[in-house]
Amino acid sequence: MQIDSKRYSSIGIGFKITLAEGGISNLLRGWAPTFIGYSIQGAGKYGLYEYFKHLYAEMAGAKTAANYQTPLFLAASASAEFLADIGLCPMEAVKVKIQTSPGYAKGLTDGLPKFVQENGVAGLWKGLVPLWGRQIPYTMMKFAAFENIVQALYTNVVPKPKSDCSKTEQLGVSFAAGYLAGILCAVISHPADNLVSKLNASKEATIGGVINEMGWWQLATRGLPLRIAMIGTLTATQWAIYDSFKVYVGLPTTGAAPPSENEGEHAKKA
């Protein structure tokens, strides 16, 4: 839908054509670079987020960190994603080429060498800047929205404090907050996602040329419902897996209630 909207005019037609031309295997095309790329990016993103959140909180001091939580979340997530995307970009380039150019390659093992032969090693990072444009706002929204939604759920929806909730209840909150955050992520990052897809689909494509061809409205809306369904589910699942691992190793789930009035007063006196 993002590359050829005339042929794939709706989600249903897109599935119908894809299945008719190659069966179920067509839906799995490009799974290897997708799995490897997003495994590298995901491990880097979540781990670096925790690192930068702790680092920036220490740099800001307890009082400032408590009073400006959301800017702290935004800065930590942007820093984490900036580095994580360097690892993702090569696999993303190969994945998009395999998915958007029928017959180009069977998978990663023949697709990666062919891509490098045609575009050079530097070509693997051709889409890095627009990838940053897609992923950094996406991740900033993902982490900041998640942290704030978790706080809102514990404050306004969950009938007891987080400390009184079972681990299962806490993971349920993580899943719900993750899904809501994922919807916001999909909307804010979708224009850049369309841009990255177009750039990696054609060697001659440029950022300005894609914008002129599609227009800002199409960049923001083409394929958006499918992306919302995919990213909402993906983000919720990621948070559930991540927080399940934290629970397994004895750590609390991500997100906490906002500082209490006593904590705020203590911070002001500090």
Side-chain angles (χ1 to χ4, degrees):
M1 291 178 68
Q2 292 175 316
I3 303 301
D4 191 350
S5 61
K6 292 182 179 178
R7 188 174 189 219
Y8 303 96
S9 58
S10 69
I11 295 173
I13 291 175
F15 272 110
K16 183 177 180 180
I17 293 174
T18 301
L19 289 170
E21 291 182 344
I24 296 296
S25 62
N26 240 11
L27 295 175
L28 301 177
R29 184 188 297 167
W31 72 267
T34 301
F35 177 78
I36 294 172
Y38 282 93
S39 293
I40 294 171
Q41 183 238 27
K45 173 165 60 179
Y46 281 91
L48 289 169
Y49 173 69
E50 298 287 1
Y51 168 75
F52 282 118
K53 186 167 68 169
H54 176 73
L55 175 66
Y56 294 158
E58 285 198 330
M59 291 171 61
K63 177 181 176 180
T64 302
N67 291 335
Y68 297 95
Q69 287 187 313
T70 297
L72 182 68
F73 300 149
L74 292 170
S77 57
S79 300
E81 189 63 44
F82 179 87
L83 296 175
D85 284 346
I86 296 172
L88 167 64
C89 196
M91 294 295 102
E92 181 75 359
V94 176
K95 179 206 77 170
V96 171
K97 192 66 176 178
I98 292 172
Q99 290 178 335
T100 59
S101 302
Y104 180 80
K106 295 180 179 179
L108 179 62
T109 53
D110 58 336
L112 178 58
K114 185 175 182 179
F115 189 95
V116 171
Q117 184 179 16
E118 292 178 353
N119 301 277
V121 174
L124 292 169
W125 283 273
K126 173 189 175 184
L128 182 58
V129 172
L131 185 64
W132 277 331
R134 181 187 79 185
Q135 290 298 129
I136 291 178
Y138 166 92
T139 299
M140 292 171 71
M141 177 64 75
K142 176 178 183 173
F143 284 91
F146 176 83
E147 297 264 16
N148 282 284
I149 291 171
V150 166
Q151 289 185 5
L153 289 175
Y154 280 117
T155 301
N156 302 305
V157 178
V158 181
K160 52 186 175 182
K162 178 180 178 180
S163 57
D164 294 339
C165 294
S166 67
K167 296 303 182 183
T168 301
E169 290 170 332
Q170 291 182 27
L171 290 174
V173 170
S174 294
F175 186 86
Y179 205 100
L180 293 172
I183 293 173
L184 298 175
C185 291
V187 173
I188 197 171
S189 65
H190 195 63
D193 184 63
N194 275 321
L195 191 59
V196 169
S197 296
K198 282 282 191 179
L199 286 173
N200 285 327
S202 172
K203 186 177 181 180
E204 293 75 27
T206 64
I207 293 175
V210 174
I211 293 174
N212 289 333
E213 175 193 341
M214 294 185 65
W216 288 105
W217 175 251
Q218 287 297 317
L219 275 174
T221 60
R222 183 183 294 176
L224 182 58
L226 185 61
R227 183 168 168 78
I228 286 175
M230 179 185 74
I231 296 299
T233 304
L234 175 64
T235 303
T237 303
Q238 286 177 334
W239 277 115
I241 293 172
Y242 181 60
D243 275 352
S244 294
F245 174 77
K246 291 179 74 174
V247 168
Y248 176 75
V249 297
L251 297 172
T253 57
T254 308
S260 67
E261 292 182 4
N262 290 336
E263 289 175 326
E265 290 174 1
H266 177 73
K268 289 178 182 178
K269 293 177 182 178

